């Protein structure tokens, strides 16, 4: 399986591959479920590259560690899933 950081780099730097719509599914410990968010709403934490910064569905700023990302969808199709 491709490591998540490599997939995120490919999305960023491969113009043809990255032109699609990507959605990340991360595990929200409080909600106890996978939450999906459009990758365009996510940024890498400049101070810590193992973290992602986002605004959740309730409008709150969050930092999510990469290990909590469980799936990646490209144009609605699952292309990556972390083994449980």
């Amino acid at each position: 399986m491709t490591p998540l950081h490599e997939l995120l780099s490919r999305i960023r730097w491969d113009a043809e591959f990255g032109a699609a719509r990507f959605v990340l599914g991360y595990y929200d410990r409080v909600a106890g479920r996978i939450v999906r968010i459009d990758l365009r709403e996510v940024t890498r934490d400049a101070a810590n590259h193992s973290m992602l910064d986002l605004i959740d569905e309730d409008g709150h700023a969050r930092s999510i560690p990469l290990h909590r990302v469980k799936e990646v969808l490209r144009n609605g199709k699952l292309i990556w899933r972390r083994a449980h």
Side-chain angles (χ1 to χ4, degrees), residues 28-60:
D28 185 310
R29 294 179 302 178
V30 174
R33 65 183 177 89
I34 300 292
V35 174
R36 290 183 173 169
I37 188 160
D38 192 304
L39 183 60
R40 293 175 292 196
E41 303 297 321
V42 177
T43 59
R44 293 294 287 267
D45 186 318
N48 184 346
H49 293 288
S50 67
M51 302 290 283
L52 300 174
D53 294 329
L54 58 95
I55 305 297
D56 69 13
E57 54 198 17
D58 296 323
H60 298 106

Side-chain angles (χ1 to χ4, degrees), residues 4-75:
L4 180 60
H5 71 276
E6 288 182 16
L7 178 59
L8 293 174
S9 289
R10 181 175 181 207
I11 292 167
R12 181 176 181 182
W13 298 110
D14 182 336
E16 185 177 333
F17 182 75
R21 180 173 180 261
F22 289 90
V23 173
L24 299 181
Y26 69 91
Y27 182 70
D28 185 310
R29 294 179 302 178
V30 174
R33 65 183 177 89
I34 300 292
V35 174
R36 290 183 173 169
I37 188 160
D38 192 304
L39 183 60
R40 293 175 292 196
E41 303 297 321
V42 177
T43 59
R44 293 294 287 267
D45 186 318
N48 184 346
H49 293 288
S50 67
M51 302 290 283
L52 300 174
D53 294 329
L54 58 95
I55 305 297
D56 69 13
E57 54 198 17
D58 296 323
H60 298 106
R62 296 192 182 269
S63 290
I64 304 297
L66 285 178
H67 71 265
R68 289 205 358 235
V69 176
K70 302 298 183 183
E71 60 189 21
V72 178
L73 292 90
R74 181 176 187 259
N75 292 331

